[in-house]
Amino acid sequence: CPTGRVGMLTMHSFMFISSYEKLRSIIREQAFIETMAHAGPALFDVGNPGTLQTSAYVFRREEDPEARQNAVGTYFRLVKEPDSEAKRRRFEQALANLRAGKDDPIVYRYRQGDFDAIPGSPWVYWITPGLRKVFETFPKLGEIAQPKHGMTTGDNYRFLRYWWEAGTGRIGFGCTSAQDALKTGKRWFPYMKGGGFRRWYGNQEYVVNYGRNCEEMIAGRQSGSVPGFRHDNPDYYFRRWVTWSKVASGDFCVRLSPGGFVFDVAGCSIFPIEDLIFGFLGVLNSQLIQGLLRYISPTINYEVGHISILPLPTDFGTKLKRLVDQAIALAKADSED
């Protein structure tokens, strides 16, 4: 093809791997997407077809930046067809409809410059104009309250316990800072460690050996016995915050961390100002956020980087706060049964 580039890409997710980063660089500087056949899973007969996502594409070289931005590509969405033969037949049917001047529901037209509406410019050609407008209009979560990673103990078997193993008398409850924790003389402190699906409140099962500001873990890292220990963002420990599980098999959900906890790398956290905490909980647990995350986080990992680019309002209203307060109370009562 003298005027373009043709290639096949196989990947877990064509939006978020290094190969995509290289392709995006080519497009931004040299070309635009003229055509894409997004086959998705099950194109190849492999052990687990769902893990191998595929896409075929045609780039067209274009030196003029404005022309690249305004170029409109044609996209064939074949992700729902069960196997390669079904994908082939459906693609040929859609192509025949196009040649006959007919519309087809699996065919999308998308302007190249509109990908920039979402930070990172993922190739989400199937997003509706309304949802794209949401990304363009509202500030990003990371602009309001930056998500943070927490501690990595390096040896959970050694440094973590269930709260009932340590015993409530040996746990430092209610601390508001690392300095406050040090004054208690306690060894064990509540630890927010991600966990299974639970909205609003809960997953408060663990305590961590944070005695003398994690003296034992620091000594282990220095001696080489705990090389994986990381003490990230200690100034945010023990505050009240919004937390979620980094790895989840189902929908994204957030919970209130009520204060007094150290947090884990898998229990990612956001620290909005106090007046916004309940608004964050309400909006981030909404179905709208579930829908938006399907465009920016197609895997089971809800990374800090994905969450930080979610569009979020800054005025939540008093009614939402009341509803979230009730939801937290119900979830708390349920977790204590």
Side-chain angles (χ1 to χ4, degrees):
C1 180
T3 59
R5 293 180 57 171
V6 184
M8 167 66 77
L9 179 64
T10 61
M11 61 208 107
H12 287 282
S13 165
F14 70 81
M15 288 188 287
F16 290 108
I17 64 171
S18 59
S19 297
Y20 167 68
E21 293 299 323
K22 295 175 183 177
L23 292 174
R24 186 178 65 174
S25 177
I26 291 171
I27 291 173
R28 189 176 296 277
E29 299 172 7
Q30 304 175 34
F32 63 88
I33 304 171
E34 187 173 63
T35 308
M36 175 181 288
H38 183 190
L43 182 65
F44 299 107
D45 186 14
V46 295
N48 186 356
T51 64
L52 188 63
Q53 303 282 334
T54 56
S55 178
Y57 53 87
V58 177
F59 291 168
R60 181 176 291 274
R61 289 190 180 93
E62 176 56 66
E63 300 298 330
D64 183 2
E66 185 176 352
R68 286 200 303 270
Q69 288 291 91
N70 290 320
V72 176
T74 302
Y75 300 81
F76 297 82
R77 188 162 176 79
L78 303 162
V79 298
K80 294 184 179 180
E81 278 62 41
D83 54 42
S84 59
E85 181 60 23
K87 293 178 191 294
R88 181 189 65 79
R89 291 195 303 267
R90 187 65 183 91
F91 174 75
E92 291 176 351
Q93 178 188 0
L95 194 59
N97 286 335
L98 287 184
R99 287 171 173 167
K102 301 177 182 178
D103 292 332
D104 192 290
I106 71 161
V107 177
Y108 295 77
R109 310 281 192 180
Y110 203 85
R111 177 181 169 272
Q112 189 71 38
D114 288 338
F115 286 131
D116 294 336
I118 302 176
S121 304
W123 295 347
V124 286
Y125 58 85
W126 63 94
I127 192 172
T128 64
L131 288 180
R132 188 175 69 240
K133 189 69 173 176
V134 170
F135 278 100
E136 294 172 334
T137 303
F138 290 100
K140 305 301 179 283
L141 181 148
E143 298 169 1
I144 307 170
Q146 186 63 42
K148 301 289 183 182
H149 286 299
M151 174 186 288
T152 302
T153 69
D155 188 344
N156 285 350
Y157 183 79
R158 177 177 171 184
F159 295 114
L160 296 189
R161 297 289 185 273
Y162 289 106
W163 63 265
W164 47 264
E165 291 181 286
T168 55
R170 300 169 64 199
I171 300 172
F173 292 107
C175 296
T176 59
S177 67
Q179 292 75 20
D180 194 17
L182 185 62
K183 292 176 184 177
T184 67
K186 302 284 188 180
R187 180 183 182 189
W188 300 99
F189 295 87
Y191 193 57
M192 194 65 70
K193 195 186 177 301
F197 181 88
R198 185 171 287 274
R199 282 195 175 108
W200 310 116
Y201 194 89
N203 286 355
Q204 301 174 13
E205 301 173 328
Y206 292 94
V207 291
V208 62
N209 180 358
Y210 199 76
R212 298 179 180 271
N213 285 347
C214 61
E215 179 183 62
E216 190 173 338
M217 281 182 268
I218 293 173
R221 181 174 61 187
Q222 292 172 345
S223 68
S225 63
V226 194
F229 167 65
R230 291 187 58 173
H231 195 205
D232 293 344
N233 299 303
D235 291 344
Y236 289 85
Y237 297 171
F238 303 106
R239 298 187 188 185
R240 193 157 80 143
W241 66 73
V242 176
T243 185
W244 77 92
S245 300
K246 178 181 176 182
V247 180
S249 58
D251 287 344
F252 175 74
C253 66
V254 296
R255 299 172 289 280
L256 175 68
S257 180
F261 284 75
V262 178
F263 64 102
D264 183 84
V265 68
C268 301
S269 303
I270 316 165
F271 295 83
I273 61 173
E274 188 69 21
D275 290 346
L276 297 182
I277 286 179
F278 283 77
F280 267 58
L281 284 163
V283 173
L284 290 176
N285 275 327
S286 69
Q287 288 302 306
L288 173 62
I289 292 297
Q290 295 298 327
L292 296 180
L293 278 170
R294 292 188 181 98
Y295 295 106
I296 62 177
S297 181
T299 71
I300 63 171
N301 289 341
Y302 296 112
E303 302 282 356
V304 163
H306 299 155
I307 305 306
S308 66
I309 64 174
L310 283 170
L312 226 65
T314 54
D315 183 7
F316 300 108
T318 57
K319 182 177 180 180
L320 179 61
K321 183 180 184 305
R322 290 197 305 271
L323 292 172
V324 171
D325 200 19
Q326 294 172 12
I328 291 172
L330 291 170
K332 185 176 182 180
D334 180 65
S335 69
E336 293 174 349
D337 285 344

